[in-house]
Amino acid sequence: MPGSSPLKRGIPAPPAAYPPGPACHRAPCAGSILVALIAACLTLSGCKVVATSEKAQSSKPGVGAPDNKVADPERMAQEVWGAKVLPYLDKKAGPFPEVMALMHSAPESAANTWGHRATEGAPPVVATRLEGRIVSADLASRAAVVGVDADGDGKADVNVQIGPVIRGTALRDALDFVSFDTFANQIEFAKFGKALNGQVDRTVLSGLPRENLVGRAAEIMGVFPLGNPNETPLVTPAVFKLGAAP
Amino acid sequence: MSFRNALLAATFGVGLAFASAMGAQAADLMAIITPSHDNPFFKAEADGAKAKAEQLGYETVVMVHGDDANKQSQLIDTAIARGAKAIILDNAGADATVAAVRKAKDAGVPSFLIDREINVAGVATVQIVSNNYQGAQIGAQEFVRLMGEKGNYVELTGKESDTNAGIRSQGYHDVIDDYPDLTMVAQQTANWSQPEAFAKMESILQANPNIKGVISGNDTMAMGAWAALTAAGRTDVILVGFDGSNDVRESIKQGGIKATVLQPAYRQAQMAVEQADQYIKTGKAPAQEKQLMDCILITAANAGKLETFALAD
């Protein structure tokens, strides 16, 4: 984040997961133990972060939020990125032509096969891999985007975000092992989404050149929300390999 | 048995049967509690909840807490006393609400929260909230686009006790702060209030005549700000709101306010009632207590389809 005064950052977020009082002082310890536990759990294969609402039904008198909410969303994003997110997306990703075909004919099927729907009130997000050629580059905005032609007709089949500003939370919403419920509130959930975007920008996109992109081959694995099938999907990449110019 | 006693017994038996038949037909009660209906958003929630509850065969009682936590507590007491089977609640402040909802839960009355979340899990049965952060992001992205990614702007924020105020502001800044040529010259709360936003906008404009845009935490404040800008002859200012009200829709159609973000309030309230009904009938709550509903950007392109916080297909 650019350095900015507290005023510029907006209203301070409400207290994250803990009420005022002695619990606050315990919170950092509980938080770091929790993160360590999550990290340990997630590096083991087959481990899943489970939605906690059912456990939370037993209310402990006098205690505020249960300690099973994510304490540090930014750190969680860093820890799960390589260990959990990339393998998950890699496994989930469908070949782009198939994804698009099914998206037109049977969107629910496309969502079930290659995607994840977080809640009823949000579109499902699918993972896909595609190869093609960059046919356009919109670099005027900080939310830069390149158009990639996957079927060789010279027109962009997807627009791919290349940062530094990455819009939306598609990477987060594609994951089936986190949910809004595992975070104390929307702000914490949002921080996690933004941190995942930061991961891909830092590890993949900031290294991409910005000149002479048009014409170069590109191999992408990323996510996009299933929307209007007649609109060009906006893909948030998790992997972006740039090939040679023709 | 004497004839008189037999007659009495028969009458009593018929009376009992009649009473239990009446009891079986008396509908269950759902209490619907929101902030004041002065803001059409809350009225739409109440109307949506009432309509769905009655459709499902419930009686309803609709009450307003006016963002007063004490009043809210009294209303919840009322709901409990009247034997409500569920409370549909848009709450009067996250921290204060925890105790009230817990009290209802302990009295056997489950609460189904909409719009504003509380930061504690396990006291409300369900919390269906708009994805305010996602909504703020799309609103801010449109704002950034309209501003050409540069210029001075003002932010009007909402009531601080409402978690949504902080979430929207955070969402706005997480987008806007990535553009170094956009400069916030003033940030003030107008507490969700239209007249307060009018007054604040007036004075901010006097102190900062060179602003290009205003981003507002909700539509009622946007309406107040727009009135002040119009009065000052500054209809060039780019203004974006949040909620999706009919008032702002009209302004967008007339080319005034540029955009807003729809919270599907009507549908949200209906979903809460549906889940309450399921819980009452089966004792089963959804697997996830907290559920997010995505917001939708409203501009001149789709404003025509917007009516009372619902978008026609």
Side-chain angles (χ1 to χ4, degrees):
Chain A
M1 290 301 301
S4 48
S5 72
L7 177 68
K8 225 171 139 65
R9 283 307 297 142
I11 294 182
Y18 304 94
C24 265
H25 299 299
R26 287 206 312 275
C29 274
S32 32
I33 290 171
L34 174 68
V35 171
L37 277 175
I38 289 181
C41 179
L42 291 169
T43 51
L44 300 169
S45 60
C47 240
K48 226 170 120 105
V49 176
V50 175
T52 55
S53 61
E54 283 156 303
K55 287 190 237 158
Q57 288 300 328
S58 64
S59 52
K60 293 191 279 186
V63 173
D67 330 89
N68 45 12
K69 298 291 182 187
V70 173
D72 191 333
E74 279 110 352
R75 197 149 137 212
M76 180 178 174
Q78 269 175 29
E79 282 160 354
V80 304
W81 178 251
K84 190 91 173 146
V85 174
L86 288 178
Y88 168 87
L89 290 177
D90 193 65
K91 191 157 162 235
K92 199 96 175 166
F96 183 68
E98 283 180 44
V99 174
M100 285 310 281
L102 206 53
M103 188 172 121
H104 277 86
S105 60
E108 276 308 307
S109 213
N112 290 335
T113 314
W114 301 294
H116 174 247
R117 183 195 283 264
T119 69
E120 180 207 301
V125 178
V126 292
T128 188
R129 66 180 86 249
L130 69 108
E131 287 172 30
R133 201 159 289 283
I134 297 177
V135 293
S136 63
D138 175 5
L139 305 167
S141 165
R142 283 175 57 83
V145 158
V146 293
V148 177
D149 171 23
D151 60 8
D153 67 352
K155 289 186 304 188
D157 299 293
V158 291
N159 289 319
V160 183
Q161 305 201 63
I162 58 169
V165 172
I166 296 184
R167 285 173 285 163
T169 49
L171 281 171
R172 178 196 73 191
D173 297 337
L175 307 176
D176 69 3
F177 51 88
V178 289
S179 73
F180 176 40
D181 220 34
T182 29
F183 296 82
N185 57 36
Q186 287 182 59
I187 290 186
E188 300 298 298
F189 192 46
K191 284 181 187 165
F192 179 69
K194 176 136 187 164
L196 285 180
N197 289 348
Q199 282 297 311
V200 74
D201 186 51
R202 216 171 8 258
T203 60
V204 177
L205 301 175
S206 56
L208 292 177
R210 302 282 144 154
E211 302 82 31
N212 304 320
L213 284 170
V214 175
R216 290 181 74 166
E219 198 183 306
I220 291 145
M221 195 271 286
V223 295
F224 66 94
L226 284 187
N228 184 339
N230 298 318
E231 278 173 18
T232 311
L234 180 68
V235 171
T236 305
V239 172
F240 193 123
K241 294 186 189 138
L242 205 52
Chain B
M1 192 187 281
S2 73
F3 176 73
R4 183 168 150 270
N5 285 348
L7 187 57
L8 270 175
T11 312
F12 189 55
V14 168
L16 259 184
F18 190 64
S20 53
M22 283 303 289
Q25 281 167 19
D28 285 341
L29 178 68
M30 271 202 199
I32 298 163
I33 306 174
T34 72
S36 162
H37 294 186
D38 283 351
N39 185 333
F41 182 86
F42 302 122
K43 180 164 190 325
E45 283 183 334
D47 290 347
K50 185 173 153 80
K52 179 57 73 172
E54 286 173 0
Q55 183 194 42
L56 290 171
Y58 293 90
E59 268 177 26
T60 61
V61 56
V62 177
M63 303 184 278
V64 294
H65 56 58
D67 280 301
D68 178 337
N70 287 329
K71 181 92 193 280
Q72 175 179 258
S73 190
Q74 286 165 22
L75 296 179
I76 288 181
D77 285 341
T78 302
I80 296 170
R82 288 188 52 174
K85 288 287 187 278
I87 297 171
I88 311 295
L89 174 64
D90 189 345
N91 76 71
D95 292 337
T97 299
V98 174
V101 169
R102 183 176 278 133
K103 171 178 56 169
K105 179 181 174 185
D106 291 345
V109 184
S111 296
F112 298 79
L113 271 45
I114 53 175
D115 176 42
R116 297 173 175 175
E117 58 189 312
I118 57 179
N119 294 325
V120 167
V123 285
T125 307
V126 146
Q127 297 190 48
I128 306 177
V129 297
S130 299
N131 196 340
N132 281 274
Y133 185 81
Q134 170 258 351
Q137 280 202 310
I138 59 180
Q141 278 160 19
E142 180 67 2
F143 181 72
V144 164
R145 188 185 72 81
L146 290 165
M147 294 281 285
E149 301 186 13
K150 59 180 191 287
N152 292 338
Y153 75 96
V154 170
E155 183 189 359
L156 292 174
T157 56
K159 196 187 262 285
E160 208 170 312
S161 62
D162 182 350
T163 50
N164 289 336
I167 291 166
R168 288 178 204 171
S169 182
Q170 179 102 31
Y172 287 160
H173 283 281
D174 276 2
V175 169
I176 299 173
D177 289 356
D178 278 338
Y179 297 85
D181 294 333
L182 282 168
T183 309
M184 185 170 71
V185 297
Q187 179 194 57
Q188 286 191 37
T189 181
N191 288 305
W192 301 138
S193 151
Q194 188 159 335
E196 206 174 320
F198 181 93
K200 292 272 161 79
M201 190 74 250
E202 259 193 329
S203 53
I204 291 171
L205 202 50
Q206 277 161 16
N208 300 277
N210 59 349
I211 60 167
K212 188 171 163 188
V214 176
I215 191 156
S216 174
N218 87 340
D219 275 353
T220 48
M221 296 191 302
M223 289 300 291
W226 187 249
L229 289 167
T230 307
R234 289 299 308 273
T235 53
D236 59 293
V237 172
I238 293 160
L239 175 47
V240 169
F242 196 110
D243 275 343
S245 73
N246 285 353
D247 282 345
V248 168
R249 176 198 69 199
E250 287 311 299
S251 183
I252 291 173
K253 281 160 81 174
Q254 290 154 23
I257 295 173
K258 291 288 179 290
T260 183
V261 174
L262 169 65
Q263 290 194 70
Y266 196 86
R267 176 71 200 125
Q268 218 172 89
Q270 301 218 310
M271 250 178 88
V273 169
E274 285 164 4
Q275 292 184 16
D277 175 54
Q278 272 302 295
Y279 185 78
I280 290 169
K281 292 193 168 119
T282 68
K284 281 201 172 61
Q288 294 194 344
E289 176 185 325
K290 282 200 171 182
Q291 301 158 46
L292 279 179
M293 284 188 86
D294 268 14
C295 298
I296 302 164
L297 181 68
I298 304 292
T299 62
N302 60 356
K305 296 194 286 183
L306 176 61
E307 176 57 51
T308 314
F309 302 97
L311 203 58
D313 286 320

